[in-house]
Structure formats: C-alpha cells, structure tokens
Amino acid sequence: MTEIDLRRRACIVGAFEHPTRKAPDKTSAQLHAECARGALEDAGLTLSDVDGYFCAVDTPGLGAIDMAEYLGLNPRHMDTTELGGASYLSHVSHSVQAIAANKCDVALITLAGRPRSAGGGIGATGPYISPDTPDLPWERPYGWAPAPMYALAAMRHMHEFGTTSAQLAAVRVAASLHAQYNPNAMLQTPVTVEEVLASPMISDPLHKLDCCVISDGGGALIVARPEIARSLARPVVNVLGAGEAYKGYLRGQVDVSWSAAALSGPRAFAAAGVSPQDIQYASLYDSFTIAVIMQLEDLGFCAKGEGGRFVEEGNLIAGQGRLPFNTDGGGLCNNHPEHRGGITKVIEAVRQLRGEANREVQVPGCTLAVASGLGGMIGGRHATSTLILERE
Amino acid sequence: MTTPYQDRPLPGPMLDTSTTPFFEAAKEGRLMIARCTQCRQPHWYPRPLCPYCLGDTAWETASGRGTVYSYSVARRMGPVPYAMAYVRLEEGVTMLTNIVDADLDTIHIDQPVEVTFKPMEDGWMMPMFRPVEGQTDAA
Ligand SMILES: [Zn+2]
C-alpha cells in the first residue's frame, strides 16, 4: 500500500547547534535547555508555542518526562523514539506525521550530552546500553565496539570493491576542507590524504583520522505546520520525504557490503517524489569515513562499489564536487555531540537550504538536500533514517 | 610487521536461561548453534525463538570449521591488540568472533579457520577461531 502523501505537511522552522564542544561546567539537562532556547530564538517562537516534544535516550531521566518538566513544557504529544544517532532524523519524520494528524502544531526536538567532559575514548558508545541486551553475550567478549565493527565493513568493502585507504581518507580530507570555515568546529585545520594515512591505526583499516571527534554539546530543531512556518521571518524548509530502516546480522546471513540506508533511502526518495540526481547537498552520517562511502552508494548517488572513487574524484568538496557534503565539517571535524551526529546532519542541511551555511561552502541556489542518519554500527546491527528537505 | 596474538582477560559470560547451555557446552569444547524445530533454519546469534518464524529452537553442535568473512585487528581498543572477525561456519551462519593463536597481521578474508576456546573468568570458555594449519584458502 502506498504511503499517505505527507509532502510539505510540516516545515523545519528552527535549527540550533550549540557552539560548545566542551562543557565541563554544565549539566546535560542544561545543554538540552540551551539548545531548546537557541532553536526557539532562531524560529522566532517562544516556549509556550511548543506543544510537541521529541527526544531520545540522551535526555537525562525517563524519556520525555523529566526534560518536559525541566523545560517547563506542556506537550500534548510526546515521542521518545530511540534509534541511536538516527533518532533525531526520525523525530523530524515523526513530528511531520504528528502535525499532519493534528496531534501538535509546534514540535521541539533536542539532543545534548557531554561525553568529552565525562571521559571515554575513540568509538565509545553512550552509557545507556541495557545489560540484558540479548546480542551482548555473543558480542562483548570479542571486544565489540564501534571502531572494529565499522572496520569489519570497511575491510570487506575493500575486498569486494577494491576500495582503498586513500579513498577512505579522501572523505576526511573533504570534511576538513569544509571545517576550516567553521569557527565552532573542533578541528579546523585541513588535512591531506597522507596525514590521514600517517595517523595511528585504530582498527584495520581505520586510522585515527577515519574516526569522528568526541564532543560535548547538542542541538535542537523546531518543526511546525506550514501556516505557522509562513508567518515567521525565516526561510521555509519543507520536509519532503522520510524513510527508516533496520539492518543487522540478517539472522546469521551476514552481508556488510550494504547498510540500512539502501532501504531507508529509496523509501525517502519515493515519498518525496525526487531522485538522487536532484539532490544538491548531502548531510551524511560520518561517525567513520566508511559510513560516508557506503551511504553514497546505498542512497543512490553512485553505483555499489563506486563510493571510494566518487569521493576520490572530489565530488564531496563544496565549490568543486557534484555533491557537497557535511559543509560544517561533519562529525569528523566539527561536532559529534553525545556520540551522535544525527541532529547536526539536519541542522547543516537547513543552513544550506536557507543559504546560511558558511560563505565559502554554501551551495549556490540550494533547494533540495538529503540528511542521512545512522544509529548503531554499520558492520553490525544498525538503523538508518533518511530525510529529503526542500527550500520553498 | 608482525602482531603476535596475546591472551587478554575476558570477563565471565553473561549467563541467563538463554545463554547458559551455550557456555556449558563451550566449557566442554563444543560450539553450539541454534536451529528451528519448525522451519529447520539455523541462525546466529542463538535465540530460544526462531528469528525466521518464531518457532521453538534446539541446540546443536557445530563442526567448528569455517572461513573468515571479514576481520579487523583492533590495535588501540584495549591493553593488547585483538582480531575481530566474522567467520562463516560450514553450517551456513556467520558469527562475530576473534581470530587467535596467529600472527594477527597474516589474517585474511576467505582464510580457513577452526574453533578453539579461550578462558574467561571463573572457568568459563569463549569460542574463538584459529587458522587451520597447512590448509589453503577456499576458491
Ligand atoms: Zn523457524
């Protein structure tokens, strides 16, 4: 059965990325609240306008309950969808559904956390994996962690498609070229392929510079019905389509050559009624460089196996490539708050569509963008959430 | 470059009614997989209900032979390097595991491997895989 047409039924009217990358003197709840304040100011709305609240497990307390209290919200619709780093893209999608169903008019989405101040190394996960997670007895004793799990996919990708370490490094290079124009980026110095390859090997074939940053901070989004969006002073960004998917061990028929984005992407494009060729800017989840190459293939920007060459040809670099990506510097260089890049993917796509990206990396006349989120581990079990966004 | 395998301390298994038979068998040197009593499909990781049809499953002893589907030597994820891997078992399921008792820099995709067991806390054992001596890669 075809989906109900939800195109342009809700708009992203507020977007805020917390400028902090290290917040030793703030609580997680405070960061959530500062993000909410920033997004409402950006939208030109106030706290009393919010009647829907969306959050994931990074909220301190019990789902939406404790942050609703802390923020002073009076929501008539709440949603604590938890899909790891993909959660916040799904929150956008679910808020469109809620607005279309008249469950709320103005939805607030928040993400925040402070893993950098709290400690924890490369590829650390959040503290909220329940000890009775059923997969863990057959994962944890083997040293299961994000870096080696992404590395299993990278190693197989190299074996099947001839992808090289230099091609993986080219993802980082493109992100770093963009980050140099972002004064809030954690790492603002451009790097070369040689520097990526010379950085310490973390988990073969992923070097240190194939891994994203660990940062404190967060972000917030406001989604509202179109009548409200058009009454505000900001450019209108429509949610055109959305798709979600899960992929894991395939019941033991493991195939790590593709990600759940191969399912969520086509669902989002079908809902939006556009094709990958129409997209002018892409926010791609970049916890590790291999994730970007696989999303490029799985979302249909190049053929399966061609992702490495697509990147190597410079296609991700603003001002020269066919598909500028992560023009804020992404998780690789700018920000990966609470080990979760989902909300920053949406925020930078909104900036591009509004024409408010940093001048040197703004895509001229950007009217159609994709934001792709991933939660979990691409070489293991994970969820993806894909959004197609449009400048009205 | 060589990266010799080194033992690392493994915490005891996470025991509950779903996992204890697996770890009791591992103590005796047997690798167990679960197969559905209804649709006859094997799956990994083992579950009491079949992820194809939700039928009841039963334990069976696997051959312990397989090939490396993918691997990664984690070099900075703990006190010693270790080789994370997916191994495709002869029974047709692929399991997450470690490759051990080898120069970790010689591990490669399609390499034939066989199960071995490494000690965990409190006398429990965890199945891992080592290269099969003298055997060449599958075509
Ligand atoms: Zn079955």
Side-chain angles (χ1 to χ4, degrees):
Chain A
M1 193 180 290
T2 55
E3 291 184 11
I4 294 172
D5 187 353
L6 293 178
R7 287 178 293 178
R8 306 181 182 90
R9 295 293 297 271
C11 315
I12 301 177
V13 300
F16 178 76
E17 180 186 13
H18 203 295
T20 192
R21 300 293 177 268
K22 190 164 192 185
D25 301 327
K26 288 180 177 171
T27 66
S28 176
Q30 182 179 1
L31 290 171
H32 274 273
E34 290 179 0
C35 290
R37 179 171 65 190
L40 284 167
E41 283 173 3
D42 179 64
L45 291 167
T46 65
L47 192 58
S48 59
D49 295 315
V50 174
D51 62 355
Y53 182 50
F54 293 71
C55 63
V57 294
D58 57 279
T59 43
L62 188 64
I65 291 175
D66 294 282
M67 279 313 299
E69 169 62 27
Y70 189 94
L71 292 167
L73 297 175
N74 183 23
R76 61 189 179 101
H77 187 81
M78 286 163 281
D79 178 334
T80 314
T81 293
E82 170 54 36
L83 294 172
S87 304
Y88 317 90
L89 294 92
S90 287
H91 294 161
V92 171
S93 167
H94 298 181
S95 70
V96 173
Q97 296 165 22
I99 288 166
N102 289 338
K103 293 290 184 186
C104 61
D105 298 315
V106 175
L108 166 68
I109 302 164
T110 65
L111 157 77
R114 43 197 301 288
R116 193 175 174 200
S117 293
I122 284 173
T125 53
Y128 22 68
I129 294 176
S130 122
D132 62 353
T133 303
D135 332 53
L136 286 184
W138 290 278
E139 293 174 335
R140 191 158 273 178
Y142 296 124
W144 173 83
M149 291 307 294
Y150 276 81
L152 287 171
M155 191 67 85
R156 187 71 198 181
H157 207 276
M158 290 176 154
H159 176 78
E160 285 194 30
F161 307 118
T163 304
T164 66
S165 289
Q167 291 170 343
L168 292 168
V171 175
R172 175 60 175 248
V173 170
S176 77
L177 291 171
H178 299 158
Q180 67 181 313
Y181 304 112
N182 180 355
N184 293 324
M186 209 166 133
L187 303 173
Q188 296 175 22
T189 308
V191 298
T192 64
V193 167
E194 291 70 28
E195 285 169 327
V196 178
L197 299 183
S199 68
M201 189 63 87
I202 300 298
S203 195
D204 305 346
L206 300 178
H207 297 81
K208 185 163 192 283
L209 296 188
D210 287 300
C211 310
C212 67
V213 300
I214 294 168
S215 51
D216 297 347
L221 297 163
I222 311 288
V223 182
R225 65 176 63 256
E227 307 88 275
I228 296 170
R230 290 184 194 117
S231 75
L232 300 170
R234 313 291 282 129
V236 173
V237 172
N238 289 314
V239 181
L240 206 57
E244 292 173 3
Y246 172 75
K247 176 181 178 261
Y249 300 124
L250 302 174
R251 302 180 277 211
Q253 304 300 308
V254 172
D255 179 354
V256 298
S257 67
W258 57 280
S259 76
L263 303 171
S264 65
R267 287 170 190 158
F269 281 110
V274 300
S275 76
Q277 288 67 42
D278 302 321
I279 298 294
Q280 295 161 283
Y281 166 79
S283 280
L284 302 176
Y285 204 84
D286 57 345
S287 45
F288 297 88
T289 51
I290 181 62
V292 172
I293 286 177
M294 289 177 66
Q295 284 164 92
L296 286 167
E297 298 167 354
D298 293 340
L299 294 173
F301 293 111
C302 61
K304 179 48 72 182
E306 295 293 324
R309 277 174 285 278
F310 185 90
V311 175
E312 198 169 41
E313 289 164 3
N315 281 309
L316 298 183
I317 301 171
Q320 66 177 79
R322 119 109 195 90
L323 186 72
F325 98 124
N326 298 6
T327 40
D328 59 338
L332 290 167
C333 298
N334 170 32
N335 195 9
H336 196 66
E338 190 54 9
H339 304 302
R340 294 172 159 223
I343 210 160
T344 50
K345 295 291 159 284
V346 183
I347 292 169
E348 182 65 6
V350 169
R351 290 192 191 108
Q352 279 287 352
L353 292 167
R354 287 174 170 178
E356 294 175 355
N358 293 307
R359 185 173 46 80
E360 297 85 351
V361 295
Q362 175 66 50
V363 175
C366 186
T367 54
L368 208 53
V370 66
S372 173
L374 189 149
M377 301 173 192
I378 212 165
R381 45 199 165 85
H382 63 275
T384 56
S385 189
T386 311
L387 292 175
I388 315 291
L389 305 175
E390 169 203 63
R391 163 75 179 254
E392 187 163 284
Chain B
M1 193 170 70
T2 61
T3 305
Y5 167 75
Q6 302 170 64
D7 281 320
R8 65 186 197 283
L10 299 174
M14 303 163 77
L15 294 172
D16 57 35
T17 52
S18 295
T19 65
T20 299
F22 179 88
F23 288 103
E24 293 283 3
K27 237 183 204 178
E28 297 164 3
R30 288 180 293 127
L31 171 65
M32 304 294 273
I33 63 171
R35 186 184 296 273
C36 182
T37 61
Q38 304 297 314
C39 75
R40 305 302 304 160
Q41 288 272 13
H43 64 274
W44 187 266
Y45 60 93
R47 280 154 252 193
L49 272 66
C50 168
Y52 289 94
C53 75
L54 295 182
D56 291 336
T57 67
W59 294 101
E60 67 179 45
T61 303
S63 69
R65 289 186 296 271
T67 55
V68 174
Y69 168 76
S70 191
Y71 71 97
S72 174
V73 180
R75 298 178 189 274
R76 280 172 176 77
M77 300 300 297
V80 300
Y82 60 91
M84 185 76 98
Y86 278 122
V87 165
R88 274 188 171 145
L89 299 178
E90 282 182 349
E91 288 75 15
V93 292
T94 299
M95 62 179 282
L96 194 69
T97 188
N98 286 171
I99 307 297
V100 299
D101 299 343
D103 173 0
L104 304 186
D105 293 333
T106 65
I107 298 167
H108 53 277
I109 288 172
D110 293 336
Q111 187 173 17
V113 291
E114 63 188 6
V115 74
T116 183
F117 294 84
K118 291 293 178 184
M120 310 175 88
E121 274 174 18
D122 302 324
W124 296 97
M125 303 293 276
M126 194 72 197
M128 297 187 178
F129 288 79
R130 65 187 174 205
V132 179
E133 291 298 327
Q135 190 171 332
T136 53
D137 293 0

